[in-house]
Amino acid sequence: MNSDSVLNSIEQIVSTFLESEPGYFLVEIKIKPTSNIKVFIDGDNGISIEKCVQFNRQLYKIIESKNFFPPGDFSLEVSSPGIDKPLKMQRQYLKNVGRNVEVNFNDGTAVNGRLLQVSGDDIIVEQTTGKGKKAETKQLVIPFSNIKTTTVQIEF
């Protein structure tokens, strides 16, 4: 079995598995040449370490039973994508409404602002420029088709 078909099979397993857990969703799966499988799962209200461990144990047994790899010759990591990873899915945008984001456009430009709203085709970001009395706030409607990456900005 080639790596693309293994990846697709594991994606189907995870998707089927998550049907019984509607608050969680698959973000991405990566398989390294060393047979290290990384499954990134997120939740509408985040995902706990305990839930990642539970998913890991259950998925490991299923993947092992499918014999995609020789026995004991793969490793599995289940985690959240992490705050520093770009948003990939609309559900990730929705759960981050109200947070500051950096939106990088396909043309190489970028804007920073507060994510106000997410719809099927675009997002609305509130951007403030200037300070004090010269501060100017405007709302930008940004189509998903113009976005290269969006990253949540950590506030201290």
Side-chain angles (χ1 to χ4, degrees), residues 53-72:
V53 170
Q54 177 189 344
F55 286 152
N56 186 302
R57 288 181 180 150
Q58 293 171 327
L59 287 172
Y60 190 94
K61 289 176 185 174
I62 295 168
I63 293 169
E64 189 175 44
S65 72
K66 298 289 184 184
N67 294 320
F68 295 135
F69 306 95

Side-chain angles (χ1 to χ4, degrees), residues 23 30-31 54 67 82 84 96 100 114 117 135-136 156:
K30 293 181 181 180
I31 301 178
Q54 177 189 344
N67 294 320
D84 59 331
N96 284 293
N100 284 330
R114 187 162 307 279
Q117 188 176 332
E136 199 176 304
F156 295 100

